[in-house]
Amino acid sequence: MDERVRRHAEILVDHCTDIAAEDDVLIRAPTPAEDLVVALHERIGEVGACPSLSWLNSRAGRAYARAMDADDFRLNEPRLAAMEETDVVIMVTGATNAFETSDVDPGKSAAASRANGPILEERLDTRWVITQHPTPADAQQAEMSTEAWEAFVYDAVNRDWDAQRAFQERMVEILDPAEEVRIVSGDATDVTLSVDGMAAANDYAKENLPGGEVYTSPVPDGVDGEVTFDLPVVRNGREVEGATLRFEDGEVVDHGAEKNGDVLTSVLETDEGARRVGELGIGMNRGIDEFSYNMLFDEKMGDTVHLALGKAIEECVPEGREFNDSAVHVDMLVDMSEDSRIEVDGEVVQRNGTFAFEGSETE
């Protein structure tokens, strides 16, 4: 077995989820990720914990969704029961066909998300992590060779996460006490987000592997302005390009897209919370320097920010504050590498992708 796969499994078990002998661990993975699944079982066995495995099949999922009526989706009770008995969840992605679900009605995807919302709620109460196993299909989507994609994935995953944490903590110290953030990019994006009283968090590969962002949840009614997401997002196998959103008092009041606008509309129509921003994230992983059409990596890329429509992040919303709830959490990216800036309480903290503090304690 490729030693990079074993190292990937070690990071997932030892760093990301800190698995101990008493833990029950659920692994959800597609069949192309068999090598990583085997390595995970090996490492979990060395720790003495108890694993269970749920294989995922995108062709089966597509067949089911296309056959179902949107009104017939209901909560998967066995999956919920399994999640309730789980201490740790490791979710692995890796496609045989990155666009397998591209001909599924996006309205059905939204319906399925609504029906299975309680499973998401239960999973968020576990120790969980999402990661990527490199496959040729994902390499094609990233427009890379298989070998180059593997190197890209493992270089992003196998990092000094203590050093990354220290770098990102500089941004946490700025964002955590802040009242307002303004994002400006070219002529198309100028949006302000109230973060008054909300907590900032440091993603150093505890719930996402790779990690590499600082994030918070805006005040639900505190977002105003316009955003053009000039990097595409792939949602359920369909690529949305040139998405634009206009916010008033926190809510999307107008939207559009250059390609697959119906996918964006279906997200917004999922529920009331899907029309508000649940997360503001600032990418800070300098080891990810190439757009890959894979949000797990792209949202961590230096020179980007992302806004997520939908569910807020519990650790960022103090008790007693309004929490934006939704069955979806959909990240969308803004390129901040040129003619762009991030302002925090009126002070520029990043310009054209470079942080004001970068160079002092960042290497």
Side-chain angles (χ1 to χ4, degrees), residues 286-306:
R286 294 300 187 198
I288 303 174
D289 57 3
E290 186 173 351
F291 184 70
S292 65
Y293 294 88
N294 186 312
M295 190 58 70
L296 182 63
F297 295 82
D298 295 338
E299 69 173 1
K300 317 303 189 323
M301 185 167 54
D303 306 349
T304 66
V305 298
H306 57 275

Side-chain angles (χ1 to χ4, degrees), residues 6 30 40 55 65 77 103 114 119 128 132 149 157 166 184 198 211 213 216 218 221 242 267 299 316 324 339 350:
R6 282 200 169 92
L40 281 167
W55 287 113
E77 297 283 358
D103 55 358
R114 287 192 296 269
I119 298 174
W128 59 272
Q132 173 81 42
W149 173 241
V157 162
V184 179
M198 303 305 228
E213 65 173 295
T216 189
D221 62 357
V267 169
E299 69 173 1
C316 297
N324 191 62
D339 194 21
Q350 187 201 73

Side-chain angles (χ1 to χ4, degrees), residues 29-77:
T31 51
E34 181 179 1
D35 281 354
L36 180 56
V37 169
V38 170
L40 281 167
H41 278 73
E42 181 178 54
R43 182 60 190 146
I44 291 169
E46 292 169 348
V47 171
C50 182
S52 61
L53 175 61
S54 174
W55 287 113
L56 305 176
N57 187 299
S58 59
R59 289 182 62 202
R62 170 188 175 273
Y64 177 72
R66 284 175 59 87
M68 280 287 284
D69 187 282
D71 294 332
D72 290 338
F73 283 96
R74 57 185 172 86
L75 176 62
N76 188 319
E77 297 283 358

Side-chain angles (χ1 to χ4, degrees), residues 7 25 47 103 132 166 218 238 254:
R7 178 59 183 152
V25 183
V47 171
D103 55 358
Q132 173 81 42
R238 299 178 68 192
D254 193 18

